[in-house]
């Protein structure tokens, strides 16, 4: 790491990303009028993401959603609601990841072309 400032900015942005990912699922439950503990959502999303990342499926597509559904249903949430929240949260996750990634790609392309 050449610049510690970049490391701290990266860690901060990573924490913001995870917090928004947790809030995504939490607000989806609230939107469907089901109150759930935020810490429970954070645990489920974290475990499902880890299991999805450890699977042999690219990006854990399918594995993460099924894991989230099973963990939510183990907490007493109905399976249709758990599946709906899992699928919607992953769709939102991928949509915003592509949008933010595209903006970053444009920025980096312009920054590197400006240096030449």
């Amino acid at each position: 790491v050449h610049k510690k400032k970049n490391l701290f900015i990266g860690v901060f942005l990573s924490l913001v990303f995870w917090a928004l990912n947790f809030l995504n699922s939490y607000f989806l439950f609230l939107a469907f009028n089901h109150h759930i503990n935020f810490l429970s959502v954070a645990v489920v999303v974290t475990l499902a993401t880890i299991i999805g990342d450890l699977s042999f499926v690219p990006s854990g597509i399918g594995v993460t959603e099924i894991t989230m559904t099973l963990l939510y249903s183990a907490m007493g949430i109905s399976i249709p609601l758990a599946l709906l929240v899992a699928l919607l949260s992953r769709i939102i996750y991928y949509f915003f990841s592509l949008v933010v990634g595209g903006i970053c790609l444009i920025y980096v392309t312009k920054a590197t072309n400006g240096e030449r």
Side-chain angles (χ1 to χ4, degrees):
V1 177
H2 298 291
K3 296 181 181 178
K4 290 185 180 184
K5 179 183 177 185
N6 290 346
L7 176 69
F8 291 122
I9 290 172
V11 169
F12 174 73
L13 290 176
S14 178
L15 292 174
V16 168
F17 173 80
W18 276 100
L20 291 174
N21 200 12
F22 298 149
L23 286 171
N24 177 21
S25 294
Y26 181 72
F27 287 143
L28 282 171
F29 276 114
L30 291 180
F32 291 113
N33 203 21
H34 185 83
H35 298 284
I36 188 170
N37 186 1
F38 178 76
L39 185 59
S40 299
V41 171
V43 169
V44 167
V45 171
T46 303
L47 286 175
T49 303
I50 290 171
I51 292 170
D53 287 343
L54 293 177
S55 70
F56 293 107
V57 179
S59 266
I61 294 177
V63 177
T64 305
E65 291 84 359
I66 290 171
T67 305
M68 288 174 76
T69 302
L70 292 174
L71 290 173
Y72 284 138
S73 65
M75 293 171 31
I77 297 170
S78 66
I79 292 178
L81 178 61
L83 182 62
L84 183 63
V85 168
L87 289 175
L88 286 175
S89 68
R90 293 293 285 178
I91 289 170
I92 293 168
Y93 169 82
Y94 282 117
F95 176 75
F96 282 114
S97 294
L98 287 173
V99 170
V100 172
I103 292 169
C104 291
L105 179 64
I106 292 169
Y107 172 76
V108 168
T109 303
K110 285 184 179 183
T112 53
N113 288 338
E115 291 177 3
R116 292 182 185 182

